[in-house]
Amino acid sequence: MDKIMDRITPRKTRIGLVAGGLGAYWPQFPDLLPQLQASARRVSERFSALDCEVVDVGFISDAQEGAVAAEKLRLADCDLIVGFLTTYMTASMLVPVAQRSGAPVLLLNLQPTEAMDHATFDTGAWLAYCGACPLPEMANAFERCGIDFRSVSGYLEDERAWARIDRWIRAAGVRAAFRHGRHGLLGHLYPGMMDVITDPTLVSAQLGGHVEILEIDDLRVRVEKVTAAETDERMKLARDIFTLDDSVDEDDFRWGATVSVGLDRLVEDFALDSLAYYHRGLDGEMHERVAAGMILGASLLTARGIPAAGEYELRTSLAMLVMDRLGAGGSFTELQALNFNDNVVEMGHDGPAHLAISSAKPLLRGLGVYHGKRGWGVSVEFDVKHGPVTACGLGQRRDGSFNLIASEGTVVPGPLLRIGNTTSRVDFGCDPGEWTDAWSASGVAHHWALGTGHRAKDLAAVADLLHLDLTVVSP
């Protein structure tokens, strides 16, 4: 999907990095500090290669230097604080860093190589491999101080360790997207959908960010100002991205393109990072036509990293944001049918889709009616890339707390409906009826995000940083 409009460039994840060791060692073993500082520089380089903004406050050797580093990182407003334990160091050196920053903490124990050379090592050489020694001390001190932390142990060029570190970085990026996010909620609840309604205050309280309440008129006035030339340009873009089915009416296509340009302006004017929408309308009047024309533009926004979900599904637009920031896409999805012959669950939606994870060039189909909704126009049809996928929902419990719900499966080829819906055939490795019962019992609402890759471990990291519970539904 290389012809999709350029994705937005979200704020880079800001990592605060501090490395350290016990200063009493330096006069005793003169070669030790330069070796540890070289290791710290290498860690900083690796973080920069992970597309992060790294705030490196240098190497600390005692509690006083730790306090100075803590103040610098407090002011930096980091999304994740990383403490690199290069050798033994006291907990008093890092506790202030963790306390003052207010950011989640990741401790690294990365020794220089896979193992020591026992035949040639002296005490100074051994101490460069002693980062594991203070890790239990830090854990105990942090627990007693009420500080959450997580750790990764390995060696400097250990790709297994760096894969785990990368997972925490991406999770911190999700946390940052929520902390700084602006989430549009346009229109009104689809009547009767008790499961999808979300108190916007709970989003700010539990996840951070801001929910902007929007009227359908906020979009209407922008749609009315779209020029014919802008519509022509958007139609040209859509023809590049989609295959147009013969069912597409030219006037309906043009209207969807016009609404798409208006949606872009709405997102820009309100600085939105996500959007959930629904408006019913009546008898073909302007508001109904605007609402019915949103699928094309919402799909284009989603592909650019601004997830848009229909039916006023705020929690699902947020789940889509999680999956997008993890690099998994995240398409608006619900259950459609079970296929007991092929042992698959068929899922998708008639609304916006994440075009970047389509298995092939997506289809634009004309619909004379949207089932369960007023209006008519063009809709998107495709299935998600074949291979491993994860369903991810943001649930809400009876006490109001949010939780993440996930299940890993595999999209497999086979027959699909041709009704202007996204549809994916997902094999969860078990009887589709049993999976559906277990998925429903998890407390997920009837919409969720479907993304590429097996992401349960990534979502566990996200849940940890957001202080959410994660339920994984598996065979």
Side-chain angles (χ1 to χ4, degrees):
M1 299 302 299
D2 56 349
K3 291 184 178 179
I4 290 176
M5 291 183 295
D6 291 340
R7 281 178 57 84
I8 61 165
T9 302
R11 171 188 177 275
K12 281 193 174 185
T13 307
R14 187 173 299 157
I15 304 302
L17 177 61
V18 57
L22 187 65
Y25 295 150
W26 315 151
Q28 294 176 326
F29 308 101
D31 294 334
L32 178 59
L33 179 59
Q35 181 182 2
L36 301 182
Q37 289 173 327
S39 292
R41 287 193 296 272
R42 178 58 180 153
V43 167
S44 185
E45 290 171 0
R46 292 283 310 239
F47 273 113
S48 297
L50 294 175
D51 195 29
C52 301
E53 178 186 346
V54 181
V55 180
D56 188 345
V57 296
F59 200 99
I60 61 174
S61 300
D62 54 36
Q64 290 88 342
E65 291 180 0
V68 173
E71 183 62 14
K72 291 178 180 178
L73 292 178
R74 183 187 70 81
L75 296 173
D77 187 27
C78 296
D79 302 310
L80 183 71
I81 299 296
V82 178
F84 179 22
L85 315 178
T86 66
T87 186
Y88 176 74
M89 56 193 296
T90 63
S92 63
M93 296 167 65
L94 280 188
V95 164
V97 174
Q99 284 178 320
R100 298 181 193 179
S101 70
V105 177
L106 173 65
L107 299 179
L108 300 186
N109 158 40
L110 299 177
Q111 62 189 38
T113 64
E114 294 93 325
M116 294 185 293
D117 183 351
H118 298 80
T120 63
F121 271 33
D122 59 12
T123 302
W126 155 60
L127 287 172
Y129 285 71
C130 199
C133 180
L135 186 55
E137 177 176 336
M138 299 296 170
N140 178 275
F142 281 22
E143 170 66 24
R144 293 167 68 183
C145 292
I147 300 168
D148 293 333
F149 81 100
R150 57 287 308 156
S151 66
V152 173
S153 292
Y155 57 94
L156 275 179
E157 304 303 336
D158 183 354
E159 295 308 320
R160 297 167 301 176
W162 280 102
R164 300 198 301 275
I165 293 168
D166 181 54
R167 182 174 295 132
W168 288 115
I169 299 301
R170 284 184 280 118
V174 173
R175 178 178 178 270
F178 283 141
R179 285 180 66 225
H180 300 279
R182 290 176 53 83
H183 312 294
L185 191 57
L186 184 152
H188 61 81
L189 178 69
Y190 188 106
M193 286 187 181
M194 296 173 66
D195 63 324
V196 306
I197 186 63
T198 302
D199 179 350
T201 301
L202 292 181
V203 173
S204 297
Q206 297 183 44
L207 304 176
H210 168 74
V211 178
E212 183 73 18
I213 305 301
L214 301 167
E215 303 281 356
I216 190 68
D217 289 309
D218 288 316
L219 177 56
R220 174 189 59 80
V221 295
R222 288 166 174 81
V223 170
E224 290 174 343
K225 294 177 181 178
V226 175
T227 67
E230 290 171 327
T231 297
D232 290 340
E233 185 64 25
R234 186 55 50 92
M235 292 173 73
K236 180 179 181 299
L237 174 70
R239 285 192 177 96
D240 288 341
I241 293 172
F242 294 91
T243 295
L244 268 63
D245 186 74
D246 292 341
S247 61
V248 172
D249 178 86
E250 185 72 8
D251 289 340
D252 291 345
F253 178 33
R254 186 170 190 83
W255 177 246
T258 301
V259 175
S260 175
V261 176
L263 269 172
D264 282 3
R265 288 184 178 159
L266 181 81
V267 166
E268 181 179 355
D269 290 346
F270 287 95
L272 300 181
D273 298 288
S274 71
L275 176 67
Y277 66 89
Y278 175 76
H279 182 82
R280 181 166 50 189
L282 290 168
D283 298 331
E285 48 81 40
M286 184 62 166
H287 293 119
E288 179 187 292
R289 293 295 294 131
V290 169
M294 291 180 68
I295 292 176
L296 172 60
S299 296
L300 292 172
L301 282 173
T302 300
R304 293 173 55 209
I306 306 170
E311 298 179 12
Y312 212 60
E313 243 292 26
L314 175 58
R315 293 202 311 281
T316 295
S317 65
L318 298 178
M320 292 164 66
L321 184 64
V322 170
M323 295 298 276
D324 183 86
R325 295 302 188 265
L326 290 177
S331 202
F332 190 42
T333 306
E334 67 183 0
L335 289 172
Q336 293 177 324
L338 308 182
N339 187 323
F340 292 94
N341 291 327
D342 298 339
N343 218 43
V344 298
V345 178
E346 298 183 35
M347 57 177 67
H349 211 280
D350 65 348
H354 201 306
L355 306 176
I357 61 171
S358 175
S359 66
K361 190 172 184 178
L363 180 78
L364 206 60
R365 187 180 294 278
L367 297 180
V369 61
Y370 295 143
H371 70 273
K373 304 181 183 71
R374 299 185 189 274
W376 64 93
V378 293
S379 191
V380 174
E381 186 175 299
F382 75 74
D383 66 333
V384 170
K385 292 176 182 176
H386 300 171
V389 292
T390 302
C392 172
L394 183 64
Q396 183 173 349
R397 294 172 169 158
R398 67 180 65 185
D399 65 357
S401 63
F402 295 142
N403 65 317
L404 283 171
I405 303 164
S407 189
E408 296 178 337
T410 303
V411 171
V412 297
L416 302 171
L417 291 173
R418 300 175 180 176
I419 58 171
N421 282 213
T422 62
T423 305
S424 296
R425 295 159 47 89
V426 187
D427 182 351
F428 287 101
C430 62
D431 176 85
E434 293 179 2
W435 180 87
T436 300
D437 290 338
W439 182 246
S440 301
S442 71
V444 71
H446 82 278
H447 300 124
W448 52 87
L450 184 65
T452 56
H454 284 166
R455 305 287 178 170
K457 290 182 178 180
D458 293 337
L459 291 171
V462 170
D464 182 281
L465 296 192
L466 293 176
H467 301 290
L468 301 177
D469 289 336
L470 170 66
T471 298
V472 177
V473 176
S474 57

